[in-house]
Amino acid sequence: MANWLLKTEPDVFSIDDLAAAGKQGEPWNGIRNYQARNFLRDMTPGDRVLIYHSSCAEPGIVGEGEVISAPAPDPDALNPESPYYDPKSSADNNRWSVVQVRYIRHWPGVLSLKTLKAMPELENMALLRQARLSVSPVTDAEWQHLEQR
DNA sequence: GCCAACGTTGGC
DNA sequence: GCCAACGTTGGC
């Protein structure tokens, strides 16, 4: 079992939207970065995910969800109508993947990026090490530090 | 809205 | 295969 962090822009899709989706969850689609996709492909049903709000007033961790499907080809990559359409993908060779994610809970308040940066235990956290990575791994130790915060 | 960081593309 | 140009992410 592994832990991950998923960035989302709350103006586009927030943790409240994920909560509203209920038990059946929501496809985490539109990942168009190879490194992020490779992490997606390592996901297993039951993995825990932190939900992180980016490009907003207070960027940070807002809650928690769960992976509820195995990785699958992302159908949006094949749909010319989709903003996530990728002309270089085909049914035979879809470059992109998607998993289904469901809401678990909000965390109390926003655990802000500023706070995360101030925690020495998180010095090596992938989120902080690498800007612009929308799917990243979280170690058990990191998760614990965050949860106890 | 600016711009740093960094990924991708394409000419050579 | 190199690397300049370009595009995108995301904090501020």
Side-chain angles (χ1 to χ4, degrees):
Chain A
M1 210 73 93
N3 316 304
W4 309 96
L5 180 143
L6 300 176
K7 283 188 194 174
T8 184
E9 296 184 31
D11 291 347
V12 178
F13 186 82
S14 74
I15 188 168
D16 296 322
D17 296 320
L18 185 63
K23 267 193 263 184
Q24 81 274 14
E26 226 9 82
W28 209 265
N29 53 10
I31 300 296
R32 296 292 178 268
N33 167 286
Y34 285 109
Q35 214 180 339
R37 183 210 63 185
N38 291 343
F39 287 132
L40 266 193
R41 288 185 174 175
D42 287 338
M43 290 184 178
T44 303
D47 283 359
R48 295 185 301 178
V49 297
L50 296 170
I51 305 299
Y52 178 99
H53 281 176
S54 66
S55 295
C56 56
E58 196 180 16
I61 294 165
V62 291
E64 181 181 343
E66 180 188 7
V67 176
I68 55 170
S69 80
D74 185 349
D76 286 354
L78 308 180
N79 175 11
E81 305 300 311
S82 167
Y84 302 128
Y85 177 60
D86 171 26
K88 291 182 180 168
S89 282
S90 63
D92 285 351
N93 184 20
N94 190 333
R95 305 196 293 178
W96 306 112
S97 301
V98 63
V99 295
Q100 195 80 6
V101 174
R102 77 174 173 99
Y103 172 80
I104 299 291
R105 62 187 177 104
H106 280 72
W107 279 14
V110 179
L111 189 41
S112 70
L113 179 61
K114 195 181 165 199
T115 303
L116 302 182
K117 283 179 174 170
M119 292 171 66
E121 304 90 343
L122 301 182
E123 198 184 4
N124 292 316
M125 193 177 176
L127 171 76
L128 302 180
R129 276 300 183 84
Q130 200 178 344
R132 310 183 47 201
L133 186 54
S134 59
V135 179
S136 61
V138 178
T139 66
D140 287 336
E142 286 163 355
W143 188 290
Q144 274 189 324
H145 286 302
L146 292 163
E147 211 165 30
Q148 284 161 12
R149 188 58 205 211

